[in-house]
Amino acid sequence: MRSVVVLAAVAALVAGCSDPKTASKKNFETAINDWISQNPPCLSLPYSGVRAADRAADTGVFPIYVEAAVSEHPMRLENQRKAAAPFETLAAAGLLKGEAAEITQSGYFGGPQPKVAVVAYTLTPEGEKAFSAKGNSRMRADPSFCYGEPSVKEIVRFTEPGDMMGMTVSQVEYTYQLKNMPEWARSKPMQAAFAQLARDNAETLEGKAAVVLMNEGWVHEKAMKR
């Protein structure tokens, strides 16, 4: 009789561990991994502030025009160099290629249209692999380069599931890492130019997420908004 009770208890424990609706570290890890593995971090392209007068709004992201650092005025030259620096770093990392060009910019208040010396940047084959027109944004265009494969390392803690607007929700804190980082994302010049990359090259990163109980089990809150 005692063995039957023990077997029943073990069976109940195993069933609880395998139930996707149980509030457990394993189920929360699965829910978070399902989302973050499909949504790696992305580095937004810098804003150049230069646009050709004859360029239609729907012609796509590239080429990106960056004003060439050729001014004879020291202050303006310094500003041109600062604006050009991140694009030069992206080009040195092999994501963009730049070519000298000249464009016509729209004049202010109906004035004459000035000619501007620029560097026209387009994607390299390596850049095409990483490029995303929307990046991590689901609401608007955010041209970006995406990198790494997020994977949960540990579920640190979670709150007791409770009701929130008619749904059962738990707040989860976890650690994760980015696997298989491309060479350009690991390069020291890129990390120096973009603080986001310096942070994301850490061995362990911290994250927070709300997970929501659905009919099939727990899901990441953002998976409900797609």
Side-chain angles (χ1 to χ4, degrees):
M1 181 65 180
R2 181 178 179 182
S3 61
V4 173
V5 172
V6 171
L7 287 173
V10 171
L13 179 62
V14 171
C17 291
S18 61
D19 183 356
K21 295 185 178 182
T22 300
S24 67
K25 288 188 175 183
K26 180 62 177 176
N27 285 338
F28 292 165
E29 178 179 334
T30 298
I32 294 170
N33 263 335
D34 284 347
W35 171 258
I36 65 174
S37 64
Q38 299 299 316
N39 294 271
C42 299
L43 180 69
S44 297
L45 277 170
Y47 177 64
S48 72
V50 179
R51 187 178 185 87
D54 57 354
R55 182 170 180 172
D58 59 353
T59 54
V61 177
F62 298 95
I64 294 176
Y65 298 118
V66 179
E67 193 170 354
V70 294
S71 177
E72 296 180 355
H73 302 284
M75 185 174 295
R76 181 168 176 75
L77 179 62
E78 181 64 21
N79 290 335
Q80 289 174 334
R81 286 173 174 167
K82 286 182 179 179
F87 291 95
E88 291 171 351
T89 303
L90 290 167
L95 298 173
L96 299 176
K97 59 181 177 181
E99 294 183 355
E102 187 178 72
I103 63 170
T104 300
Q105 278 192 301
S106 299
Y108 294 102
F109 308 109
Q113 296 181 325
K115 294 282 188 179
V116 180
V118 299
V119 178
Y121 285 100
T122 55
L123 289 171
T124 63
E126 185 67 20
E128 290 177 357
K129 296 177 186 177
F131 181 72
S132 169
K134 293 193 68 175
N136 292 129
S137 174
R138 299 192 302 277
M139 302 299 294
R140 59 181 178 81
D142 182 19
S144 306
F145 291 113
C146 301
Y147 55 90
E149 299 173 6
S151 178
V152 173
K153 294 182 69 174
E154 180 188 8
I155 300 298
V156 178
R157 62 180 64 87
F158 60 88
T159 62
E160 184 71 23
D163 181 78
M164 181 180 293
M165 299 179 66
M167 298 181 292
T168 301
V169 179
S170 178
Q171 302 292 334
V172 184
E173 296 180 25
Y174 64 97
T175 59
Y176 68 102
Q177 64 182 139
L178 292 172
K179 300 178 179 179
N180 298 321
M181 291 281 276
E183 184 177 348
W184 63 263
R186 291 185 282 108
S187 78
K188 295 302 182 182
M190 284 288 287
Q191 291 187 52
F194 301 100
Q196 174 181 328
L197 290 180
R199 179 199 67 207
D200 285 351
N201 271 278
E203 182 65 26
T204 300
L205 298 162
E206 296 180 351
K208 295 181 180 181
V211 292
V212 182
L213 183 60
M214 308 295 286
N215 290 335
E216 68 276 16
W218 294 91
V219 299
H220 194 291
E221 60 175 333
K222 292 182 179 179
M224 302 175 59
K225 301 174 183 178
R226 287 184 291 182

